[in-house]
Amino acid sequence: MARRKKIYEGKAKILYEGPEPGTLVQYFKDDATAFNAEKRDVVEGKGVLNNRLSEFFMNGLNTIGVPTHFMKRLNMREQLVRAVEIIPLEVVVRNVAAGSISKRLGIEEGTPLPRPIVEFYYKDDALGDPLVTEEHIIAFGWASQQDLDDMVALALRVNDFISGIMLGVGIKLVDFKIEIGRIWDGDFMRLVVADEISPDSCRLWDIHTGQKLDKDVFRRDLGNLADAYTEVARRLGVLPQNGAPRGKPTLIN
Ligand code: TMP
């Protein structure tokens, strides 16, 4: 089969032209990067795990009526997604202080926040993805006030859904990042969750031990990243201990 046309290559994924107009194939690499790719490594199996985990979360979101770009998983490393126009903002939701908010505001890591906090970062590697306010976003035309309201609502629904699923398997969703895209249907535009949802883009702590089960294991040299992601997948029933991985999400009873 002729190799598909590469549309875009990022740090952890590649997008290829899809089989139908308006579709793309999203390929998950094993590459791990942190601090804007200053730290990098190859973690064998990470792409396979993130493909499965992102499928699991996106399928679940689609099922409860939160629209995503996800259509179906194609194989171990690839999924079919709808082509979207990515809004150049990283949308972060925080339930517990960690990472940059702890550093910026001097809040001890692990401090529960009084309510989920939604932040926007402007996607620009050269600038190091700076934190921006709604004023910046509207003034520079990255999104409208209506888009922002819809993005906050989407992000909070994702937060409630993933928090609940994780709680069911003894994991705290500390924070996460999503990307949101536009899909056009004639003049009508809707916003959908795009990119990926995986331990690369979340902070996940074991509820009892506080053990980190996310990319901080790599960022902070805390152990084997693939082992941490495998543990998340195993708890969610995405990769059962015995037997082949299941393709469909198994929502917690
Ligand atoms: P932060 O505390 O470093 O701002 O990260 C907040 C959340 O966003 C955390 O779950 C990790 C995720 N994240 C990404 O997915 N990509 C990034 O480039 C950064 C900086 C954070």
Side-chain angles (χ1 to χ4, degrees), residues 21-239:
T23 66
L24 295 171
V25 173
Q26 181 165 266
Y27 175 97
F28 288 76
K29 301 193 276 189
D30 279 343
D31 300 23
T33 66
F35 315 117
N36 207 4
E38 271 173 40
K39 180 179 168 88
R40 50 170 74 235
D41 203 352
V42 175
V43 178
E44 209 178 312
K46 180 173 84 80
V48 173
L49 286 157
N50 281 351
N51 187 24
R52 289 276 179 180
L53 285 162
S54 200
E55 171 195 22
F56 176 82
F57 294 124
M58 295 280 186
N59 251 334
L61 287 167
N62 285 337
T63 303
I64 64 160
V66 177
T68 82
H69 73 158
F70 180 82
M71 297 171 75
K72 66 171 180 180
R73 189 172 56 78
L74 295 171
N75 55 49
M76 295 285 275
R77 287 186 183 273
E78 294 178 330
Q79 45 186 243
L80 185 67
V81 300
R82 295 194 59 176
V84 305
E85 193 182 290
I86 287 283
I87 293 177
L89 297 168
E90 300 202 334
V91 185
V92 168
V93 182
R94 302 180 187 273
N95 299 304
V96 174
S100 68
I101 197 174
S102 290
K103 220 181 241 177
R104 185 176 302 112
L105 302 181
I107 308 171
E108 194 186 342
E109 283 212 331
T111 308
L113 297 168
R115 44 173 268 188
I117 292 176
V118 182
E119 298 173 338
F120 297 97
Y121 293 81
Y122 180 52
K123 271 169 69 69
D124 186 320
D125 280 345
L127 298 175
D129 297 346
L131 179 68
V132 290
T133 68
E134 296 201 359
E135 286 284 309
H136 298 129
I137 294 168
I138 291 165
F140 297 122
W142 299 322
S144 67
Q145 183 64 59
Q146 182 64 54
D147 293 335
L148 279 172
D149 294 346
D150 293 347
M151 289 168 81
V152 169
L154 262 183
L156 291 175
R157 289 187 75 192
V158 172
N159 186 44
D160 285 346
F161 179 71
I162 311 272
S163 289
I165 289 210
M166 286 303 184
L167 188 62
V169 296
I171 294 173
K172 191 190 291 180
L173 178 63
V174 170
D175 57 33
F176 66 92
K177 181 265 302 188
I178 53 171
E179 298 194 16
I180 293 175
R182 302 177 195 277
I183 291 183
W184 291 93
D185 190 0
D187 280 347
F188 181 74
M189 185 274 295
R190 62 198 183 98
L191 299 180
V192 305
V193 178
D195 190 52
E196 72 179 299
I197 300 178
S198 75
D200 266 12
S201 52
C202 301
R203 281 198 176 90
L204 304 170
W205 295 355
D206 181 273
I207 280 182
H208 300 293
T209 65
Q211 186 190 356
K212 294 183 184 2
L213 298 168
D214 57 65
K215 204 163 97 177
D216 273 349
V217 170
F218 170 72
R219 293 191 190 96
R220 303 179 186 190
D221 294 318
L222 301 175
N224 184 295
L225 193 67
D227 286 352
Y229 290 17
T230 301
E231 174 62 13
V232 175
R234 189 193 63 75
R235 289 197 200 184
L236 291 169
V238 175
L239 290 175

